[in-house]
């Protein structure tokens, strides 16, 4: 039982300063699998070491994707290890041999969690989801269902289900991304609108977005130069300033 702080320090450096110099890196299998099962930031940090053991030393981990799926909670968009997590998750989901139900479960869970994510995280996760659609065309039914939207009266996706195969993600739709098309940040709304069109075959490079911070987004907006200055405006009516705003019937700005 290691202290949490020590666990994190070990796992941060394990994959590049310990494993490459061990004669038998497989000796770390038990340590990493136990760390991966702890949950939270420790599980995120254990991904690096597990990735090396799985890809270079033939580690078999039957419940790996189930545990990775259950790591997806609201905190992944806020932790300081977010860039590392999305980079590794992108690698783990890069194989075209993964079943459609598994990838659809990841897409749907990421989309649901995106409803409460900050803009800098959304600018990463939306291209991330688009890349998953490019790799796994069978999942496009989440965006364009051939039988039409009338078949879904309510979302069948079960968010609380820990087993991806039982989450019913393939029966659902990505109404969450459509909601983000009305996001207050214009860059997020523009990124979400990409799913309204047919996706290009070339994957988006998300490496430059992984370290994006809220400060950088704010700084970019502040430094923008206004080219067109509106000379007329429509007088505000109602709480949110829209003509047919239902709030205008119940609230007044006076």
């Amino acid at each position: 039982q290691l202290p949490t702080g020590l666990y994190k320090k070990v796992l941060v450096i394990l994959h590049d300063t310990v494993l490459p110099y061990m004669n038998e890196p497989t000796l770390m299998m038990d340590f990493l699998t136990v760390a991966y099962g702890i949950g939270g930031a420790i599980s995120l940090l254990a991904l690096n070491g597990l990735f090396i053991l799985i890809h270079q030393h033939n580690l078999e981990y039957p419940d790996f994707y189930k545990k990775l799926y259950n790591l997806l909670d609201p905190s992944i968009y806020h932790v300081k290890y977010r860039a590392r997590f999305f980079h590794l998750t992108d690698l783990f989901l890069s194989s075209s041999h993964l079943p459609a139900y598994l990838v659809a479960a990841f897409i749907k869970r990421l989309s649901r969690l995106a409803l409460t994510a900050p803009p800098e995280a959304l600018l990463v996760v939306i291209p991330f989801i688009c890349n998953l659609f490019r790799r796994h065309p069978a999942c496009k039914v989440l965006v364009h269902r051939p039988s039409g939207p009338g078949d879904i009266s309510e979302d069948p996706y079960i968010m609380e289900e820990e087993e991806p195969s039982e989450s019913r993600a393939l029966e659902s739709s990505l109404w969450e991304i459509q909601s983000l098309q009305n996001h207050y940040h214009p860059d997020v709304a523009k990124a979400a609108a990409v799913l309204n069109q047919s996706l290009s075959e070339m994957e988006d490079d998300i490496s430059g977005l992984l370290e994006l911070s809220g400060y950088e987004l704010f700084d970019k907006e502040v430094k923008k130069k206004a080219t067109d200055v509106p000379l007329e405006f429509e007088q505000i009516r109602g709480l949110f300033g829209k003509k047919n705003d239902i709030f205008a019937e119940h609230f007044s700005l006076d």
Side-chain angles (χ1 to χ4, degrees), residues 11-155:
L11 291 171
V12 163
I13 64 170
L14 188 70
H15 66 286
D16 58 354
T17 60
V18 178
L19 289 179
Y21 303 101
M22 292 182 68
N23 291 330
E24 294 185 49
T26 51
L27 292 174
M28 298 302 295
M29 285 182 180
D30 289 340
F31 174 73
L32 286 168
T33 51
V34 168
Y36 188 46
I38 289 177
I42 292 178
S43 292
L44 298 185
L45 294 173
L47 281 173
N48 268 106
L50 280 175
F51 174 74
I52 292 175
L53 293 182
I54 290 172
H55 283 260
Q56 298 179 14
H57 302 283
N58 301 317
L59 169 64
E60 291 189 13
Y61 200 137
D63 291 334
F64 177 79
Y65 283 101
K66 176 184 174 182
K67 289 194 175 182
L68 182 63
Y69 176 74
N70 287 301
L71 281 181
L72 301 180
D73 60 33
S75 68
I76 62 165
Y77 292 129
H78 302 275
V79 293
K80 65 179 180 179
Y81 308 113
R82 184 185 70 204
R84 179 186 300 218
F85 175 74
F86 274 101
H87 170 69
L88 290 170
T89 305
D90 189 44
L91 289 175
F92 290 132
L93 296 176
S94 60
S95 172
S96 58
H97 299 294
L98 294 175
Y101 76 81
L102 178 66
V103 179
F106 274 90
I107 290 174
K108 183 64 181 175
R109 195 173 181 102
L110 285 169
S111 302
R112 181 67 60 84
L113 295 172
L115 292 174
T116 56
E120 61 270 21
L122 291 174
L123 292 176
V124 175
V125 76
I126 293 174
F128 184 90
I129 289 172
C130 290
N131 285 346
L132 291 179
F133 279 124
R134 292 183 176 100
R135 297 171 194 166
H136 307 274
C139 294
K140 288 184 179 178
V141 69
L142 292 172
V143 180
H144 302 292
R145 195 170 295 279
S147 53
D151 289 352
I152 301 180
S153 56
E154 59 183 25
D155 195 341

